[in-house]
Amino acid sequence: MGDNTEAEASSQDSYGDDAIKSHIEHLVRTNLPNSAIYNFLLADVRIVFATRGTVKARLTLTRNHVNSSGGIHGAVSAAITDWAGGMAIATWDLRAKTGVSVDIHVRYLSSAREGDEVEIEGTAEKVGGSLAFTRICISKVVDGVAGPVVASGTHTKYVKLREPPK
C-alpha cells in the first residue's frame, strides 16, 4: 500500500467542499442509471454534504427498501454500504473510478420503516495506492437530525488504477 505524497495531499486539499459535493452529485446523476441495483434502490438519494473523505446523503425509504416485516431489508443496508464506501473514496481526490469491493461487513443495529428518512454517512479512513478503507453509518432521521443507528459497516476496495496497454 502506498501513501499519498506530501505534494499529492496538498493538491487534494485544494479542492473545496462545493467542488467535492458537485463531483459526487455528478457521479450520482451519471453512474446510478448504469447500475440496475443502485438505480432501483438509490434513484431518490440526495447528497447533503461532502468534504474530502466524507459524504452524507439522505434517502426516504419506500416499499422497495423494506422486507416482509416492514423494516429496512438487510440487503438494502448492504447495498447502501457498498455505494457509500465508493462515494467516500470519490471525495478523496475527485476520482470517477472507485475500485472494486474486496470486503464488506455490515452490522444491523435497529430498523427503519417505509416512509422513514435515513442519513447515510460514508467516511474514507485511508485511500492508499492499492486499497481504500471506508466506514459507513446509516441512521434514522428523527426531527431533522441523524438519530438511532440502523446499520453500520466497513468496506474495503481495491483502488489501484490499471495502466493502459502499451
Side-chain angles (χ1 to χ4, degrees):
M1 285 188 277
D3 289 324
N4 294 329
T5 66
E6 196 171 306
E8 287 172 327
S10 175
S11 168
Q12 291 163 352
D13 288 339
S14 68
Y15 299 123
D17 290 352
D18 289 341
I20 294 169
K21 185 174 184 263
S22 292
H23 176 66
I24 299 303
E25 289 170 334
H26 173 76
L27 291 179
V28 169
R29 277 192 315 276
T30 58
N31 292 351
L32 277 185
N34 297 322
S35 168
I37 191 69
Y38 286 164
N39 197 41
F40 180 73
L41 295 174
L42 299 169
D44 295 326
V45 74
R46 298 174 324 280
I47 305 302
V48 296
F49 173 79
T51 192
R52 185 173 187 256
T54 301
V55 63
K56 287 186 184 182
R58 294 244 173 134
L59 177 69
T60 300
L61 301 180
T62 69
R63 61 186 288 271
N64 293 335
H65 300 110
V66 299
N67 60 29
S68 60
S69 298
I72 187 171
H73 198 290
V76 171
S77 296
I80 289 171
T81 298
D82 185 11
W83 172 79
M87 294 300 95
I89 292 166
T91 68
W92 195 261
D93 55 7
L94 303 185
R95 68 183 64 200
K97 304 283 185 188
T98 62
V100 295
S101 297
V102 173
D103 186 63
I104 296 178
H105 290 271
V106 182
R107 297 183 317 150
Y108 305 97
L109 303 170
S110 67
S111 193
R113 305 187 73 69
E114 182 178 349
D116 288 342
E117 184 176 44
V118 293
E119 181 170 282
I120 304 154
E121 181 172 359
T123 304
E125 296 180 325
K126 177 180 171 92
V127 177
S130 297
L131 294 175
F133 301 88
T134 68
R135 179 176 27 88
I136 290 76
C137 185
I138 304 167
S139 301
K140 184 175 172 178
V141 174
V142 178
D143 296 327
V145 297
V149 175
V150 173
S152 66
T154 57
H155 187 198
T156 305
K157 295 188 84 172
Y158 180 75
V159 295
K160 186 171 186 176
L161 299 175
R162 291 185 176 178
E163 301 267 338
K166 295 180 182 184

